[in-house]
């Protein structure tokens, strides 16, 4: 089964274009089975603000107290996931929303209880569940909340959750859809990045903020055997004429000039 994992960032979730859904149609016509993982950082921040709670991050991960965890779940499962499932259904797809903590879909360990609280790192994925959903022609839409070692719910960075799902499913492709065309340098899109080039962009500070975990996860997915990894925009088509549009990550030994086909 040719699986593609598509991570939909919170930066773009409220303004996904028709072209985004058209790209999903085209992918399905090309024989790909999409699995979606969504973020929702900006929506969480907005709701925390209503409760007068100041968002706190450490190395790109949200400090998650018990109170914050309740709000994360309320927003991601109750609002963001519902919205994406509904948009997909409206675009003519069959979509099934899943909390990562349901049915042991995502099982995680604490990253660092002392500094981050209820934040997890995915250690296993219920691959059989996802494959059964794909077999009946549905698109799984996964909320990045995992079950912890003693059944606690843990907040997982959505880029990292998508990376773990892509690796577990041995996905052919993993695309991180966000609010920019891909990795930019001096305002220009970089079409292809080798591992070494990507590390250099992080070190020199060209890649920073939310782009950093995305690029790091992209490199990790690539090293775990995904054939293609991309960062692309949800404002335009990210797949057309059998080609992906955005920044493609390539292993050194696969390095070739030209667009990723
Ligand atoms: N080199 C870069 N190229 C493109 N965007 C970058 C770069 N470095 C940092 N960014 C920032 O990363 C953001 C995307 O990350 P983020 O806001 O976390 O998105 P998402 O919610 O989709 O995961 C961009 O909007 C941009 O502000
Ligand atoms: C641990 C952690 O940081 N979790 C993230 C989960 C959502 C997410 O990653 O959303 P984006 O893709 O929009 O950034 C958070 O609480 O914001």
């Amino acid at each position: 089964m040719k699986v593609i994992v598509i991570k939909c960032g919170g930066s773009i979730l409220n303004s996904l274009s028709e072209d985004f859904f058209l790209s999903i149609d085209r992918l399905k016509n090309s024989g790909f089975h999409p699995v979606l993982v969504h973020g929702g950082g900006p929506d969480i921040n907005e709701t925390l603000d209503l409760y007068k709670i100041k968002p706190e991050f450490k190395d790109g991960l949200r400090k998650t107290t018990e109170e914050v965890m309740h709000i994360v779940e309320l927003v991601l499962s109750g609002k963001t996931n519902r919205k994406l499932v509904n948009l997909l259904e409206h675009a003519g797809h069959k979509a099934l929303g899943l909390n990562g903590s349901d049915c042991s879909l995502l099982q995680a360990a604490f990253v660092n209880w002392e500094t981050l609280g209820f934040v997890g790192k995915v250690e296993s994925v219920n691959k059989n569940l996802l494959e059964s959903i794909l077999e009946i022609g549905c698109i799984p839409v996964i909320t990045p909340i995992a079950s912890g070692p003693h059944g606690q719910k843990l907040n997982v960075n959505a880029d990292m959750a998508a990376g773990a799902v892509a690796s577990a499913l041995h996905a052919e492709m993993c695309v991180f859809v966000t609010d920019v065309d891909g990795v930019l340098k001096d305002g220009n899109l970089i079409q292809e990045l080798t591992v070494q080039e990507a590390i250099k962009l992080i070190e020199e500070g060209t890649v920073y903020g939310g782009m950093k975990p995305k690029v790091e996860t992209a490199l990790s997915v690539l090293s775990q055997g995904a054939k293609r990894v991309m960062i692309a925009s949800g404002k335009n088509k990210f797949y057309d004429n059998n080609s992906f549009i955005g920044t493609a990550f390539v292993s050194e030994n696969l390095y070739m000039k030209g667009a990723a086909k």
Side-chain angles (χ1 to χ4, degrees):
M1 189 184 283
K2 211 161 80 169
V3 174
I4 176 166
V5 174
I6 303 169
K7 186 268 178 167
C8 223
S11 63
I12 192 73
L13 263 164
N14 295 320
S15 42
L16 284 170
S17 63
E18 270 182 37
D19 283 341
F20 169 82
F21 294 98
L22 212 62
S23 301
I24 294 188
D25 283 344
R26 303 237 155 104
L27 281 167
K28 283 171 77 177
N29 292 339
S30 304
F32 280 101
H33 294 265
V35 174
L36 266 64
V37 178
H38 68 86
D43 280 352
I44 298 170
N45 292 343
E46 207 174 281
T47 308
L48 287 175
D49 194 46
L50 293 176
Y51 287 87
K52 308 263 180 288
I53 301 171
K54 201 167 159 271
E56 273 186 73
F57 290 88
K58 200 172 181 292
D59 297 329
L61 300 176
R62 186 185 303 279
K63 220 173 152 178
T64 308
T65 60
E66 198 170 357
E67 191 184 20
V68 170
M69 188 64 225
H70 283 306
I71 295 173
V72 167
E73 185 165 31
L74 181 82
V75 174
L76 293 186
S77 306
K79 182 181 165 197
T80 323
N81 182 291
R82 295 295 86 217
K83 179 164 182 176
L84 188 52
V85 167
N86 189 251
L87 285 170
L88 285 160
E89 288 276 335
H90 191 73
H93 301 284
K94 289 275 157 254
L96 181 65
L98 297 161
N99 217 21
S101 59
D102 296 344
C103 222
S104 307
L105 176 52
L106 304 178
Q107 287 193 293
F110 282 92
V111 173
N112 186 331
W113 165 251
E114 316 259 296
T115 54
L116 286 166
F118 292 93
V119 172
K121 180 179 185 301
V122 176
E123 295 209 311
S124 74
V125 175
N126 186 343
K127 183 174 177 265
N128 292 343
L129 174 68
L130 292 174
E131 286 176 347
S132 309
I133 295 167
L134 294 176
E135 268 160 24
I136 58 166
C138 259
I139 301 179
V141 180
I142 305 172
T143 296
I145 291 177
S147 49
H150 303 290
Q152 314 92 328
K153 290 191 181 167
L154 301 181
N155 182 11
V156 180
N157 170 277
D159 291 321
M160 295 177 180
V165 170
S167 300
L169 289 173
H170 302 295
E172 177 96 7
M173 175 90 207
C174 183
V175 186
F176 297 87
V177 172
T178 185
D179 63 343
V180 285
D181 289 342
V183 180
L184 307 174
K185 184 169 176 158
D186 302 323
N188 300 314
L189 175 71
I190 303 176
Q191 289 195 330
E192 283 187 349
L193 269 181
T194 64
V195 178
Q196 287 313 320
E197 286 165 348
I199 292 170
K200 187 161 173 270
L201 291 180
I202 294 175
E203 283 171 355
E204 72 187 25
T206 304
V207 164
Y208 58 91
M211 190 52 76
K212 193 169 167 248
K214 223 175 292 304
V215 169
E216 286 169 346
T217 309
L219 297 181
S220 144
V221 177
L222 196 65
S223 76
Q224 285 172 52
K227 290 200 190 104
R228 302 173 202 162
V229 182
M230 301 273 311
I231 294 179
S233 171
K235 294 179 184 169
N236 316 305
K237 281 185 207 126
F238 66 89
Y239 182 72
D240 201 16
N241 295 325
N242 295 321
S243 295
F244 288 90
I245 303 154
T247 299
F249 289 79
V250 290
S251 305
E252 256 76 2
N253 55 353
L254 291 176
Y255 190 70
M256 292 180 300
K257 283 275 169 221
K261 293 271 179 195

